[in-house]
Amino acid sequence: MEEVVLRLKDATYRHSLYAPTTFKPWRRIRGQGIFSANISLRKGSILGLVGPNGAGKTTLLRMMAGILPLEDGTVLDSTENDEITLSHENLREKIGHMPEQVRWQGRKTVRDALLEIGEMRNIAESRVDGLLKLVGLESRVDARLNELSQGMRQRLTLAAALLGSPKILLLDEPLNGLDPVAAAAFVLLLGKLTDKGVSIVISSHQVEGLVQIIDRLALMHRGQILAEGTMEEIAQQLNLNKKTEISGPGTAPDFRKYVSDHDSIDIEQSQQNWRVVLSKNEKGLLQKLVSDGVDLTTWIDRSPNVIEMLCAATGQSIEDVGLEVSSTSVMPLRTYRGEEE
C-alpha cells in the first residue's frame, strides 16, 4: 500500500462575506467554502481534484498550502511513525503551491526573477539553476519576462513552487492556456517529479486528458468532497458499471429484441450512421448481432468516465454539472484589470 504523507481530517474553511446593515456597516457573515474535507495524499502519486467552476477546488488547495487557516479539523503529517498536526505556518514550509495565474511581467530576466524569490528563502544559486534546467528553461535564463510564452510562464511558476524542495506540490489548473505540445511536455515533467517521490495534487475542471496522468481522483461539488479513490474504486462506490458503445452505418437495428433491459439502451441516429450505448452488459450480444447480419463499425467496452461519475455523485445532468458556476455574490473574488484572480 502506498505511503500516506499528508491527511486532511474534517478540514473546514468558510469565506468571510461583506454584509452591511444600517447600524453595522462593517458587518461580515460566513459564506461558502470547504466543509469537513477528508483526503489523503500518497507518496509519489498524483491526485486529481475535479469539479465544476465554484466547487471549491482553489479554496481547498489554498487550505492545504497554508494560505487559508483551517476553522475546524486538522492537517496531519503522516511521514513519521506518529501523525503530527500541522499549523498553516508548517504547511507553508512543507508544501509547494502553483497558483492558476501568476503574471510574470517586466524586463527582468527569468534567472533574476527566480533568484529574487530564492533569496527570500535562502536558496542557493546552484539550486535555482538546477530548477531552471529541470523545468526546461535552461536555454531561456536570460530571456525577459515579457518575452515568455504561456507555457514558459507555467514552467517558471512551477520552478518557483519547487524552490523549497517540497515533498508535496499543489497545482491549480496547470494546463490552462497550454497548447497540446506544451501540455504534453508539462505532463512529462510531472512524471519526473513523482519518480523522485513528490506527491502532486492537480485541480482542474477540464477532465479530458487528466485521467491519463492521475493515480487517484477526488470529486468536488459545492465545497464538499463527494468521493475519493482510484477510478475503479469510485465507480464501485457509485454503482457505475462498464458501458458498451456500438456503432454502424445506416439505420440502427431494433435493440429491444436483443437487450432484456430496454431502459439501458441509448440510441443516437444520424443521416448516415447510428450509435448505441448500453449501460448494462448483455451476454452473447455480439454473436447475436453478427448472426443477424448487422453491419458494425465499432464495438467498445469502456469504464465510466469522470463526467459520468460527477453526475452520479451529484445527481445532476451533464448540462447542470458542466454549466453550474457559483454566484459571485456568495463567493468573494478579487479582480485585476477586469480579470478574476
Side-chain angles (χ1 to χ4, degrees):
M1 186 175 180
E2 295 173 312
E3 176 187 350
V4 175
V5 295
L6 194 78
R7 190 160 66 92
L8 269 70
K9 184 177 179 181
D10 297 326
T12 298
Y13 174 87
R14 296 178 65 186
H15 292 281
S16 179
L17 304 179
Y18 183 48
T21 63
T22 303
F23 299 104
K24 296 181 179 179
W26 307 112
R27 176 174 172 264
R28 304 188 74 87
I29 60 173
R30 293 297 180 190
Q32 291 185 344
I34 300 297
F35 304 91
S36 298
N38 291 279
I39 202 165
S40 297
L41 304 186
R42 289 164 170 76
K43 182 178 180 180
S45 68
I46 300 180
L47 171 70
L49 291 181
V50 174
N53 288 331
K57 301 184 297 296
T58 296
T59 299
L60 180 60
L61 288 183
R62 290 175 178 173
M63 292 167 61
M64 296 171 68
I67 299 172
L68 298 176
L70 270 62
E71 296 177 2
D72 197 6
T74 54
V75 180
L76 302 170
D77 183 344
S78 302
T79 56
E80 305 294 338
N81 293 330
D82 296 322
E83 289 187 320
I84 302 173
T85 300
L86 299 176
S87 65
H88 60 277
E89 290 89 356
N90 298 142
L91 289 172
R92 292 174 187 174
E93 298 173 358
K94 184 180 182 68
I95 293 178
H97 180 225
M98 179 179 170
E100 180 179 359
Q101 293 184 5
V102 177
R103 294 177 176 85
W104 298 101
Q105 296 177 341
R107 297 186 56 79
K108 190 175 297 182
T109 67
V110 168
R111 186 172 187 273
D112 287 343
L114 199 59
L115 279 173
E116 189 175 276
I117 299 174
E119 288 177 2
M120 302 178 190
R121 305 188 66 173
N122 296 319
I123 305 297
E125 287 191 27
S126 59
R127 170 66 178 167
V128 171
D129 293 332
L131 284 175
L132 290 173
K133 181 179 181 180
L134 176 66
V135 301
L137 290 176
E138 187 178 20
S139 63
R140 305 289 294 176
V141 293
D142 295 323
R144 307 291 181 182
L145 296 179
N146 286 336
E147 301 171 0
L148 299 181
S149 66
Q150 178 62 20
M152 293 176 185
R153 294 173 193 268
Q154 293 287 71
R155 289 168 180 263
L156 182 55
T157 304
L158 179 59
L162 291 170
L163 276 173
S165 301
K167 292 300 182 183
I168 297 173
L169 186 61
L170 311 178
L171 310 179
D172 196 354
E173 303 286 358
L175 304 181
N176 269 7
L178 299 186
D179 60 71
V181 175
F186 196 91
V187 169
L188 288 175
L189 179 56
L190 297 184
K192 293 180 181 179
L193 294 173
T194 55
D195 289 342
K196 295 178 181 292
V198 177
S199 304
I200 299 176
V201 181
I202 298 180
S203 161
S204 181
H205 66 275
Q206 300 177 359
V207 297
E208 288 188 16
L210 184 64
V211 175
Q212 306 302 322
I213 64 174
I214 63 174
D215 301 299
R216 299 178 69 83
L217 179 70
L219 301 179
M220 292 195 66
H221 186 62
R222 294 182 177 176
Q224 294 181 309
I225 296 177
L226 305 180
E228 189 266 333
T230 64
M231 295 282 288
E232 293 76 15
E233 289 171 347
I234 293 179
Q236 187 174 7
Q237 291 173 25
L238 299 174
N239 295 318
L240 293 175
N241 300 315
K242 288 186 176 181
K243 292 188 176 183
T244 303
E245 294 186 7
I246 313 167
S247 67
T251 302
D254 185 3
F255 272 82
R256 290 176 298 178
K257 69 178 184 179
Y258 298 106
V259 178
S260 56
D261 186 356
H262 296 169
D263 292 335
S264 69
I265 307 171
D266 184 12
I267 301 178
E268 297 178 5
Q269 179 71 59
S270 63
Q271 291 183 347
Q272 299 180 340
N273 300 284
W274 54 268
R275 175 176 172 270
V276 171
V277 178
L278 303 178
S279 57
K280 294 182 179 179
N281 291 328
E282 192 74 17
K283 187 176 181 180
L285 176 59
L286 179 58
Q287 183 177 356
K288 294 176 185 177
L289 292 172
V290 172
S291 298
D292 288 352
V294 178
D295 193 1
L296 303 179
T297 303
T298 62
W299 180 289
I300 302 173
D301 288 324
R302 66 168 180 82
S303 300
N305 59 38
V306 176
I307 296 293
E308 291 167 340
M309 291 180 181
L310 197 55
C311 291
T314 60
Q316 296 184 319
S317 67
I318 293 177
E319 292 79 8
D320 291 336
V321 169
L323 297 178
E324 182 178 2
V325 180
S326 293
S327 169
T328 55
S329 63
V330 294
M331 183 65 72
L333 304 174
R334 293 188 303 168
T335 57
Y336 177 81
R337 295 179 180 176
E339 295 183 21
E340 176 188 334
E341 286 193 314

